[in-house]
Amino acid sequence: MIIFDIHSEYRAAFPEANFIDSTSLVLPYWMLSGEELEEFFLDTEANDHNQRNVFKDAVIQSRKAEFTGNDDERNRIHLDTPLPFDIRYVLDHANLLNTEMVDTGEVYAASNKAKAGQPKLTQGSLHGRLTNFVNRLENKINDRRLDFFLGENSKSISFEETLRSILGYSADKHNNVTVIDLSGVPFEVLSITVSLISRLIFEHGYFYKRLRCAANPKEEINNDAPILLVYEEAHKYVPTSELSKFRASKMSIERIAKEGRKYGVTLLLASQRPSEISETIFSQCNNFIAMRLTNPVDQGYVRKLLPDSLGTLIDKMPGFKQGEALLVGEAVALPSVVQIEKCTVAPASTDIPYWDLWQQEWKDLAIDKIRDEWLRR
């Protein structure tokens, strides 16, 4: 089980689990797909063909330069090839084209202010047109919050080390639960981070099935180590929105929803706003646990799951007590209202006792420590 935790809640519930946060998470940017690379490094809203072509060419050149195989394999390298490349090479290449001066083949005459015989130069075809791209790339490379993605460790970590880390296969600890704390990941790269991890897990299942079937053509169990991906606050990854910043995570998670069961990879999505979750994913879910919902639109989504004769159950949802839920799906013979017992060890998500706290005396806050923690991110 791999839990995507964006509010630092689940380490308390699974104290023995493998735990990864933004300080220990290492994801190699070079393992991003071509579409993910463009979404992360380019201003996709600008639809600038110059920056897209320059970026693509530089990535491929860098991959070929670092590749140690034969020439035939080198010639097959493309933007989606999961091979290392140096993002600083891409920056230097873009900077060079953005400031390029080209020799015209002519020279200055003696009457010109320039020295006689000095070659005439003119601006290159991309001179000044890549400034926004260069600035964007520089800002990302220098943003220390993105060290887990663009730092030195992300350049040197291997494919195998990355998979072992996110699957929880550490040498000294065997635990079936991995909590990935994404609370320290900047929101603007949250989609890409979740997309990459999700896609790697899906492709792991796909290739693991191929290996098992190759070893035994009669194999009936595609994956003897099935994986459950848990997306807390799922509307932040797979919303109904068509904005480009959600495109990568939606594609990865929708693919798992539609095809993952074939490869032993399944989903659990938790959200307070089911109406904001991608309908593609919603339609693939087999079981639903619906707790108190007061929004009529959200209630309407749940109502669609029930036969007309049981539609009155929805009317009870706004009055559900804590822990009460409507259970619908293949797991039960009939839709039922159930009481869910409290966890033995609960997540760190208990409601704050506002009334008690507001009756207490004035508290002095350590603003300077809050500032230091804020700036450390």
Side-chain angles (χ1 to χ4, degrees):
M1 182 186 295
I2 300 172
I3 303 172
F4 294 92
D5 181 11
I6 64 174
H7 294 308
S8 297
E9 296 176 342
Y10 289 95
R11 189 176 192 180
F14 301 98
E16 300 300 319
N18 307 299
F19 181 76
I20 305 171
D21 63 8
S22 58
T23 62
S24 56
L25 178 65
V26 180
L27 289 175
Y29 60 86
W30 51 265
M31 288 183 74
L32 292 169
S33 67
E35 194 162 280
E36 290 166 344
L37 281 169
E38 291 184 357
E39 182 176 327
F40 183 61
F41 288 110
L42 305 181
D43 181 6
T44 53
E45 299 293 341
N47 198 25
D48 187 332
H49 298 294
N50 288 328
Q51 62 171 279
R52 182 172 283 104
N53 291 336
V54 167
F55 176 74
K56 180 180 178 181
D57 290 344
V59 169
I60 294 173
Q61 287 177 28
S62 180
R63 279 183 167 147
K64 287 183 175 180
E66 299 196 18
F67 184 64
T68 56
N70 59 52
D71 289 342
D72 287 340
E73 292 174 325
R74 181 179 285 105
N75 291 333
R76 289 198 293 270
I77 292 174
H78 51 82
L79 189 61
D80 283 301
T81 307
L83 290 173
F85 70 91
D86 187 350
I87 192 58
R88 289 199 172 273
Y89 171 87
V90 178
L91 175 60
D92 292 341
H93 182 73
N95 225 338
L96 182 66
L97 293 176
N98 194 50
T99 57
E100 185 180 32
M101 300 295 292
V102 180
D103 189 345
T104 63
E106 303 176 66
V107 296
Y108 286 107
S111 59
N112 195 286
K113 290 182 180 179
K115 292 182 181 179
Q118 184 174 336
K120 284 186 178 181
L121 301 177
T122 187
Q123 295 179 350
S125 59
L126 295 175
H127 190 285
R129 296 187 179 184
L130 301 173
T131 302
N132 291 339
F133 172 46
V134 169
N135 291 340
R136 181 184 177 90
L137 209 50
E138 282 182 337
N139 289 338
K140 285 191 177 294
I141 292 173
N142 296 327
D143 189 342
R144 60 184 180 182
R145 299 176 305 161
L146 301 180
D147 277 353
F148 74 95
F149 222 34
L150 299 174
E152 290 303 314
N153 290 338
S154 68
K155 297 178 184 177
S156 57
I157 190 171
S158 69
F159 195 107
E160 296 86 347
E161 289 171 328
T162 303
L163 265 184
R164 284 184 174 276
S165 172
I166 60 179
L167 287 171
Y169 276 81
S170 59
D172 57 342
K173 192 175 184 180
H174 294 172
N175 195 289
N176 288 349
V177 178
T178 298
V179 176
I180 303 179
D181 184 344
L182 300 173
S183 60
V185 174
F187 181 74
E188 59 268 25
V189 298
L190 186 61
S191 172
I192 287 291
T193 305
V194 172
S195 172
L196 176 57
I197 297 173
S198 301
R199 182 171 53 79
L200 289 177
I201 297 299
F202 175 83
E203 292 181 358
H204 154 78
Y206 169 75
F207 286 107
Y208 187 39
K209 174 186 176 180
R210 283 182 52 173
L211 283 174
R212 288 175 61 78
C213 292
N216 179 12
K218 296 182 179 179
E219 180 62 71
E220 295 181 358
I221 300 176
N222 296 333
N223 189 336
D224 59 353
I227 297 170
L228 174 67
L229 298 174
V230 180
Y231 298 92
E232 174 69 14
E233 303 283 6
H235 53 272
K236 294 184 182 292
Y237 313 125
V238 283
T240 53
S241 170
E242 295 299 325
L243 291 176
S244 60
K245 64 181 178 181
F246 300 117
R247 188 178 301 140
S249 59
K250 281 184 70 174
M251 285 184 63
S252 293
I253 299 174
E254 284 181 354
R255 188 181 182 195
I256 294 171
K258 290 184 287 188
E259 305 173 34
R261 283 185 289 265
K262 302 173 187 175
Y263 311 115
V265 182
T266 51
L267 302 177
L268 187 158
L269 300 106
S271 174
Q272 297 177 24
R273 297 303 314 274
S275 62
E276 294 183 5
I277 293 178
S278 161
E279 291 189 10
T280 299
I281 289 178
F282 205 81
S283 67
Q284 297 295 321
C285 295
N286 291 337
N287 295 289
F288 300 85
I289 303 173
M291 307 188 85
R292 185 171 63 183
L293 289 174
T294 56
N295 186 292
V297 179
D298 292 326
Q299 291 177 17
Y301 259 64
V302 179
R303 192 182 298 275
K304 295 176 185 176
L305 306 173
L306 298 174
D308 294 338
S309 59
L310 296 173
T312 53
L313 286 175
I314 302 298
D315 299 331
K316 298 180 180 180
M317 294 187 70
F320 278 177
K321 300 173 186 175
Q322 191 171 26
E324 273 192 319
L326 174 61
L327 183 58
V328 185
E330 294 179 1
V332 289
L334 286 173
S336 309
V337 176
V338 299
Q339 176 68 43
I340 299 173
E341 295 182 4
K342 287 188 176 181
C343 304
T344 306
V345 182
S349 56
T350 307
D351 291 341
I352 294 173
Y354 286 98
W355 182 248
D356 295 334
L357 293 171
W358 281 341
Q359 293 183 82
Q360 295 178 11
E361 296 298 321
W362 179 265
K363 293 185 186 295
D364 287 322
L365 297 179
I367 301 295
D368 54 340
K369 293 182 179 179
I370 295 173
R371 176 206 61 203
D372 293 343
E373 184 65 23
W374 196 325
L375 296 178
R376 191 176 291 120
R377 290 180 60 181

